[in-house]
Amino acid sequence: GAGVSQSPSNKVTEKGKDVELRCDPISGHTALYWYRQRLGQGLEFLIYFQGNSAPDKSGLPSDRFSAERTGESVSTLTIQRTQQEDSAVYLCASTPDRGQNQPQHFGDGTRLSIL
Amino acid sequence: AQSVTQPDIHITVSEGASLELRCNYSYGATPYLFWYVQSPGQGLQLLLKYFSGDTLVQGIKGFEAEFKRSQSSFNLRKPSVHWSDAAEYFCAVASTSGTYKYIFGTGTRLKVLA
C-alpha cells in the first residue's frame, strides 16, 4: 500500500506488561513522528526521526517509553511496564523531509488499552 | 508559548446547513497552517493547508479556510454539510523555519443531524 501502516490496530494488555507498536512509513519519507492521542484530546508529540540524525525524544513522557528507527524504514515504539494512563491511540506520521511545507501523512493508529 | 486553540469542543449542525470551525493560534510569526479530519478509528487526513499567498484556500471535500493575520485565525468553512462530514477536525500549525514540530489543537467533534 501507499500509505503509512501501523500495527497492531488494537492492543489490549495487562498493567505491567511491555508492548511494542510498529509503524511502516511511506517509502521514501525521511521524517517520522509518533504522537499519543488520549480520549477526547489532541495529539501529543512523542518523538521525531529524520533520516540518520539523532532523534528528538523530547516528547517522551517517561523512561518507560522508547522508540527506534533504522535508517528511513520501520519504527517501533516500546512501552515498558505499562500503566493505565498509557491507554490511548498512538499515531504515526511521515513526511518526505523535514521541511515544514510538507503535510504529515498519518497511519490509522494503534489503540492501546491497559487493563 | 506557541499554541493552537479550537474553542468549540462539539458542534452539531443539520445536514445542508453551513459550517464554520474556529481555530486561533499563538505564534511568533505566520506559521504554516493545516486542517485535518479524523474519522472514527482512522488516522488524520489533510483537508487543506496554507503557506502563503491567497488567504482563502480551498481543500478537499468542499472545505475552505480563510487565514486572517490580524485575528491570528484560520477558520474552516463549508457551505453545505453532508452527513459524511461527521468526524473530528484538527487545526495544526508548523514553524516556517527552525523547529520541525507541529502543534495540534484539541479538536472539534462535528455531529450532523439528518
Side-chain angles (χ1 to χ4, degrees):
Chain A
V4 176
S5 178
Q6 291 188 246
S7 61
S9 55
N10 286 282
K11 177 71 176 180
V12 181
T13 192
E14 293 179 346
K15 177 182 172 181
K17 300 288 188 183
D18 297 352
V19 296
E20 189 172 278
L21 312 181
R22 175 187 170 106
C23 173
D24 197 345
I26 292 172
S27 178
H29 281 198
T30 60
L32 186 148
Y33 300 74
W34 281 99
Y35 294 92
R36 180 170 67 181
Q37 184 181 25
R38 287 187 162 131
L39 185 64
Q41 298 188 19
L43 276 66
E44 176 186 359
F45 168 79
L46 296 178
I47 189 168
Y48 165 78
F49 295 92
Q50 170 58 40
N52 293 314
S53 302
D56 176 352
K57 304 179 181 180
S58 62
L60 295 179
S62 77
D63 59 7
R64 296 186 296 104
F65 287 72
S66 63
E68 293 184 347
R69 186 187 188 197
T70 303
E72 299 177 0
S73 61
V74 171
S75 175
T76 55
L77 176 68
T78 301
I79 309 173
Q80 296 178 308
R81 305 181 302 281
T82 52
Q83 303 295 313
Q84 287 187 333
E85 64 262 28
D86 299 333
S87 296
V89 175
Y90 290 82
L91 289 165
C92 175
S94 69
T95 64
D97 57 42
R98 66 170 289 161
Q100 295 319 99
N101 63 349
Q102 303 287 346
Q104 297 187 309
H105 298 259
F106 284 85
D108 287 341
T110 293
R111 182 174 300 277
L112 177 63
S113 300
I114 310 299
L115 303 177
Chain B
Q2 300 157 357
S3 65
V4 176
T5 302
Q6 294 182 245
D8 304 305
I9 299 174
H10 293 97
I11 282 186
T12 300
V13 300
S14 298
E15 190 170 21
S18 63
L19 172 70
E20 182 169 30
L21 304 182
R22 295 183 289 165
C23 173
N24 293 94
Y25 65 89
S26 174
Y27 224 82
T30 300
Y32 294 127
L33 297 158
F34 306 87
W35 273 100
Y36 289 87
V37 60
Q38 184 179 33
S39 297
Q42 297 186 13
L44 279 68
Q45 179 186 19
L46 180 71
L47 283 176
L48 47 78
K49 60 184 183 288
Y50 173 78
F51 295 153
S52 64
D54 192 348
T55 56
L56 184 63
V57 294
Q58 302 297 321
I60 62 171
K61 304 184 180 186
F63 285 92
E64 66 178 25
E66 185 172 14
F67 169 60
K68 292 186 177 180
R69 184 190 308 274
S70 61
Q71 298 177 17
S72 297
S73 70
F74 188 56
N75 295 348
L76 181 71
R77 301 195 295 248
K78 186 169 184 178
S80 178
V81 170
H82 188 263
W83 64 267
S84 61
D85 294 325
E88 188 144 22
Y89 292 80
F90 293 92
C91 181
V93 303
S95 172
T96 55
S97 64
T99 179
Y100 40 76
K101 287 183 181 177
Y102 296 73
I103 300 172
F104 287 82
T106 52
T108 297
R109 184 169 296 279
L110 174 65
K111 182 177 180 180
V112 180
L113 301 177

